[in-house]
Amino acid sequence: MKKIKVGIIGTGFIGPTHIEAIRRLGFVELVALAETSQEAAEKKAVNLGIPKAYGDYPEMLKDSEIQVVHNCTPNYLHFAINKEIILAGKHVVSEKPLAMNSKESAELLELAEKHDVIHAVNFNYRQHASVQNLQAMVAKGELGKVNLVHGSYLQDWLLYETDFNWRLAPEVGGKSRAVADIGSHWCDTVQYVTGKRIVEVFADLATVIPVRKKAKNAIATFSTQNIEEQEYEDIPINTEDYASVLVRFEDGSRGVFTVSQVSAGRKNRLSFEINGSKSSVFWNQEEPEKLWIGHRDKANEVLLADPGLFLPEARAAIHHPGGHNEGWPDALKNMMLNFYSFVRDGKSLKTDKPKFATFKDGHVSMSITDAILESHEQKKWVKVQAAKEVLA
């Protein structure tokens, strides 16, 4: 069988994680990458072991060998590049957020459906093995009726005033930062697990560090470079470091979540608890092999990830015996495996149900973000506009 040929646009932090996950599949081959210049592309291609290098991504899209393109660029480029990928007739995997606002994401969804390309957004947290098992537990009614969902997504990589990254600039990262960057993952994961859409929000956002010091010499994302060696300029910040959001789901159940990029000691802590009429569950992405299950009338439990203990619907998401812990890179691999199996098997999103997040999920995510921004500005409950379209 011929391998599926892939090109990737953007090789910063997230691009190489896509590459590593793709290479674990075996039936997919990375043949090209595109960067901001020919020199940068050739250097990256050598470092990453990719044969073709393009300093101009439209030229890569003309490559007839390439069937799938990954968009791993900064947020402000997602809409235009995704659009060009679709018009070139390629299947597409986009990083989130899908676009800069829900108007753009709606246009991309419509265009992708019109051209019948397979489209995905990299919401990889739903692909953790324990999350897959939890989704099956909820679907089977093991928790009873879901009444409450609450949790947070906390990080500390922007804790200091000297922490700076392109995501802080609205013209590059978008009007929302913490919500769009990590809150989107929380919302997607809990909607996937519960099978319920968020239809209304009430939000409070804050910029904890209103002025940051930008290094005159670039520092890589998540770098530990010595700050004493740097010179800085002051940059006003007007995107949120923090948000707390009340949510209402389509069936009237309630929830709340907090996101923060200034919480010391929290590296990448997406967590949530679901309280059902029979039992509760709690999951934390930093300890992904553990699922806490709470009871009223008997001892609580901790279920460790184990294919022998998982429900049949979730066993394909775990690839090693119990005790051989799988984590973030494995969830990303599951995302790529589900997407590329769909491509390999000749399936269509018009007729087949995918096991990955699509542009429809990306559009819902953008609509939630837009509603959160509007709620904060107007200090009131705001309906999520895409909810009616998706639930119809």
Side-chain angles (χ1 to χ4, degrees):
M1 184 186 71
K2 289 185 178 180
K3 290 187 176 182
I4 300 168
K5 303 297 177 66
V6 179
I8 189 164
I9 305 172
T11 54
F13 163 69
I14 201 67
T17 69
H18 282 235
I19 291 168
E20 191 271 342
I22 291 166
R23 283 177 167 159
R24 293 171 68 186
L25 302 183
F27 61 95
V28 182
E29 182 181 357
L30 278 150
V31 298
L33 66 78
E35 260 298 342
T36 53
S37 70
Q38 190 62 35
E39 182 183 2
E42 289 175 1
K43 184 178 180 180
K44 286 283 189 175
V46 170
N47 291 341
L48 295 168
I50 296 175
K52 297 181 186 180
Y54 291 91
D56 184 24
Y57 76 84
E59 285 301 311
M60 191 182 81
L61 296 181
K62 296 176 184 177
D63 191 332
S64 59
E65 182 183 32
I66 295 172
Q67 300 161 262
V68 181
V69 176
H70 288 238
N71 184 358
C72 297
T73 61
N75 300 358
Y76 78 105
L77 296 171
H78 289 179
F79 173 72
I81 293 178
N82 286 334
K83 190 172 183 178
E84 291 186 60
I85 294 169
I86 294 166
L87 293 175
K90 314 288 189 186
H91 304 307
V92 54
V93 177
S94 175
E95 264 304 320
K96 43 94 317 251
L98 179 56
M100 292 286 266
N101 55 61
S102 57
K103 181 179 178 181
E104 290 183 348
S105 61
E107 183 179 339
L108 287 175
L109 174 58
E110 183 180 3
L111 192 67
E113 290 178 341
K114 177 183 176 182
H115 287 265
D116 197 22
V117 299
I118 301 171
H119 45 88
V121 178
N122 186 32
F123 284 125
N124 54 303
Y125 293 100
R126 61 162 70 185
Q127 303 288 351
H128 275 279
S130 288
V131 173
Q132 293 277 311
N133 191 57
L134 175 54
Q135 190 271 342
M137 291 170 61
V138 173
K140 287 181 176 293
E142 293 190 9
L143 276 64
K145 179 181 178 293
V146 172
N147 294 319
L148 306 171
V149 185
H150 46 97
S152 61
Y153 196 157
L154 308 176
Q155 299 176 329
D156 69 359
W157 70 285
L158 291 174
L159 177 63
Y160 301 134
E161 64 176 4
T162 51
D163 293 325
F164 200 89
N165 179 268
W166 60 261
R167 291 173 179 82
L168 290 153
E171 66 273 16
V172 180
K175 290 175 64 179
S176 170
R177 176 172 27 103
V179 171
D181 188 22
I182 57 179
S184 58
H185 275 301
W186 192 94
C187 292
D188 179 78
T189 305
V190 300
Q191 287 179 112
Y192 171 76
V193 168
T194 62
K196 300 188 292 188
R197 292 290 185 188
I198 294 170
V199 297
E200 201 169 7
V201 297
F202 194 122
D204 177 45
L205 281 58
T207 304
V208 177
I209 303 176
V211 177
R212 288 180 179 269
K213 296 184 179 299
K214 181 182 179 182
K216 293 183 178 180
N217 296 319
I219 299 176
T221 304
F222 308 119
S223 171
T224 57
Q225 185 170 336
N226 187 351
I227 62 172
E228 294 178 358
E229 300 172 1
Q230 290 293 332
E231 293 184 4
Y232 299 92
E233 58 179 318
D234 288 347
I235 304 293
I237 302 299
N238 51 18
T239 55
E240 77 279 1
D241 295 308
Y242 154 91
S244 282
V245 185
L246 296 170
V247 300
R248 290 174 180 162
F249 294 90
E250 62 195 84
D251 65 347
S253 54
R254 301 306 207 261
V256 60
F257 70 92
T258 293
V259 293
S260 165
Q261 294 174 323
V262 291
S263 296
R266 299 304 190 186
K267 303 306 177 185
N268 197 41
R269 196 177 190 273
L270 186 160
S271 64
F272 60 87
E273 180 170 321
I274 301 174
N275 303 131
S277 58
K278 295 180 181 177
S279 59
S280 298
V281 292
F282 172 80
W283 182 78
N284 164 25
Q285 195 277 146
E286 290 186 339
E287 298 178 295
E289 77 283 2
K290 297 179 181 179
L291 181 68
W292 177 87
I293 306 172
H295 304 287
R296 162 77 180 266
D297 298 320
K298 62 179 181 179
N300 298 335
E301 309 168 68
V302 175
L303 173 61
L304 297 179
D306 187 330
L309 300 176
F310 274 12
L311 294 173
E313 294 86 345
R315 286 175 191 154
I318 188 166
H319 306 280
H320 298 92
H324 298 74
N325 297 341
E326 298 178 20
W328 195 93
D330 304 286
L332 187 58
K333 183 196 122 175
N334 281 341
M335 157 67 197
M336 301 306 171
L337 177 61
N338 289 329
F339 176 84
Y340 280 102
S341 297
F342 201 87
V343 174
R344 178 196 60 196
D345 297 341
K347 294 182 176 181
S348 169
L349 290 171
K350 290 182 177 179
T351 55
D352 302 294
K353 186 176 181 180
K355 293 183 178 180
F356 51 86
T358 68
F359 278 20
K360 181 177 285 188
D361 299 291
H363 175 49
V364 168
S365 175
M366 284 308 318
S367 299
I368 293 172
T369 298
D370 282 356
I372 287 172
L373 289 173
E374 183 181 346
S375 172
H376 172 68
E377 290 170 2
Q378 299 189 9
K379 303 187 186 309
K380 68 177 186 179
W381 283 96
V382 172
K383 294 185 183 300
V384 178
Q385 292 303 313
K388 292 182 179 178
E389 305 163 22
V390 174
L391 293 170

